[in-house]
């Protein structure tokens, strides 16, 4: 399966422009061109069964292999949380080490009707299935707990602790405070995936309920570079604060890039 990346066309266009303005001996684009022409080998990057599944998806939907991979990597990274890291540079104290955590966010940018959203839904479907199973198990435990409580009250016995709700593995929408609250409810060092069909709306509506004076954008940018830790003041949360314990946030989504001409395009951008 020979599928070329969009970057290959960009490189060729750049090379053509450089041919017109200067000697290519001073600008070596051969390595970049060669990399652009290299076929992405899913079998080398993923286990055999997973690579086969991705290849089947790409063949059936006529997708470039990089498209489902862009959704898969942040999905997997969100399940690792900050429990896993790569130590780039060791130090005498762990706090001084250079560590890289699985904080991965991918945006699939393309023209409308390129199956971006459908591809993202397919890749994140197992995570959603797991969330539904966790919820169903919790509802069963809750019903059993309520029945035990009724029996305990009649017999005058001590009530058992109430079962805890399962943590959110992903969120698809919600207010900035709601998303941060769900993240803080995760077990320490856990991660969450933000699945967004149109990522342009994530930042656009981030602080809409605070007249643009909130700090969600700063929090989001920080979460994309390091585990979330410390305390944030929130008016709608318990005790007016949200406590993060090395939680991580990964983002998977898409954005449609429409080509517009004329006055409407200039006024918008």
């Amino acid at each position: 399966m020979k599928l070329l990346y969009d970057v290959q066309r960009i490189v060729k266009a750049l090379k053509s422009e450089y041919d017109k303005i200067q000697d290519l001996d001073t600008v070596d684009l051969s390595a970049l061109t060669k990399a652009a022409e290299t076929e992405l080998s899913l079998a080398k990057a993923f286990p055999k069964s997973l690579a086969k599944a991705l290849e089947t998806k790409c063949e059936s939907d006529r997708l470039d292999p990089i498209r489902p991979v862009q959704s898969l990597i942040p999905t997997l990274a969100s399940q690792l949380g900050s429990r896993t890291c790569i130590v780039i540079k060791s130090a005498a104290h762990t706090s001084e080490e250079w560590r890289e955590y699985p904080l991965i966010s991918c945006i699939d940018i393309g023209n409308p009707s390129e199956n971006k959203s459908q591809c993202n839904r397919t890749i994140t479907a197992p995570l959603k299935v797991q969330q539904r199973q966790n919820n169903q198990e919790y509802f069963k435990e809750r019903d059993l707990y309520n029945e035990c409580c009724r029996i305990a009250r009649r017999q005058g016995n001590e009530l058992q602790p109430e079962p805890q709700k399962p943590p959110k593995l992903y969120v698809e929408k919600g207010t900035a405070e709601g998303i941060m609250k769900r993240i803080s409810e995760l077990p320490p060092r856990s991660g969450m995936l933000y699945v967004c069909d149109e990522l342009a709306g994530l930042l656009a509506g981030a602080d809409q309920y605070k007249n643009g004076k909130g700090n969600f954008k700063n929090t989001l940018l920080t979460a994309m570079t390091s585990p979330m830790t410390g305390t944030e003041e929130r008016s709608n949360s318990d005790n007016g604060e949200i406590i993060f314990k090395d939680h991580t946030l990964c983002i998977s989504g898409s954005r449609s890039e429409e080509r517009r001409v004329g006055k409407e395009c200039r006024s918008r951008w």
Side-chain angles (χ1 to χ4, degrees), residues 199-218:
L199 280 170
L202 175 60
L203 292 178
D207 298 313
Q208 58 180 326
Y209 299 109
K210 296 189 175 184
N211 298 322
K213 297 180 180 180
N215 63 346
F216 177 68
K217 293 181 180 179
N218 294 334

Side-chain angles (χ1 to χ4, degrees), residues 125-165:
L127 194 65
K128 298 177 181 180
V129 170
Q130 183 62 54
Q131 183 71 70
R132 286 196 297 269
Q133 292 177 350
N134 293 347
N135 291 338
Q136 291 172 357
E137 292 177 1
Y138 164 73
F139 293 143
K140 292 180 180 179
E141 292 180 2
R142 188 187 62 180
D143 293 341
L144 179 59
Y145 168 78
N146 291 335
E147 181 64 25
C148 292
C149 286
R150 285 192 291 269
I151 297 175
R153 291 191 185 97
R154 288 198 300 266
Q155 299 178 352
N157 297 332
E158 184 179 353
L159 300 181
Q160 297 297 319
E162 185 176 356
Q164 295 183 350
K165 292 183 178 180

Side-chain angles (χ1 to χ4, degrees), residues 17-31:
E17 290 296 321
Y18 276 112
D19 280 330
K20 298 176 183 179
I21 60 176
Q22 66 182 66
D23 184 3
L24 275 179
D25 290 338
T26 61
V27 181
D28 184 13
L29 297 178
S30 59

Side-chain angles (χ1 to χ4, degrees), residues 118-262:
Q118 193 273 340
C119 178
N120 186 264
R121 285 193 293 269
T122 300
I123 298 300
T124 58
L127 194 65
K128 298 177 181 180
V129 170
Q130 183 62 54
Q131 183 71 70
R132 286 196 297 269
Q133 292 177 350
N134 293 347
N135 291 338
Q136 291 172 357
E137 292 177 1
Y138 164 73
F139 293 143
K140 292 180 180 179
E141 292 180 2
R142 188 187 62 180
D143 293 341
L144 179 59
Y145 168 78
N146 291 335
E147 181 64 25
C148 292
C149 286
R150 285 192 291 269
I151 297 175
R153 291 191 185 97
R154 288 198 300 266
Q155 299 178 352
N157 297 332
E158 184 179 353
L159 300 181
Q160 297 297 319
E162 185 176 356
Q164 295 183 350
K165 292 183 178 180
K168 287 280 189 179
L169 301 178
Y170 71 96
V171 290
E172 292 182 297
K173 58 184 178 180
T175 63
E177 289 193 1
I179 295 173
M180 292 297 103
K181 178 64 175 176
R182 298 288 82 79
I183 295 175
S184 68
E185 293 173 350
L186 295 170
R189 306 183 71 83
S190 298
M192 177 181 286
L193 179 68
Y194 187 101
V195 185
C196 190
D197 187 43
E198 185 57 55
L199 280 170
L202 175 60
L203 292 178
D207 298 313
Q208 58 180 326
Y209 299 109
K210 296 189 175 184
N211 298 322
K213 297 180 180 180
N215 63 346
F216 177 68
K217 293 181 180 179
N218 294 334
T219 301
L220 183 62
L221 292 174
T222 301
M224 295 174 68
T225 58
S226 62
M228 305 170 67
T229 184
T231 303
E232 286 203 9
E233 299 298 326
R234 287 291 186 270
S235 58
N236 295 331
S237 62
D238 297 337
N239 300 323
E241 63 181 16
I242 292 178
I243 301 176
F244 298 113
K245 298 179 180 179
D246 292 320
H247 296 117
T248 63
L249 176 66
C250 297
I251 301 175
S252 175
S254 61
R255 174 171 181 176
S256 296
E257 197 68 26
E258 299 183 7
R259 294 183 179 180
R260 303 189 180 188
V261 295

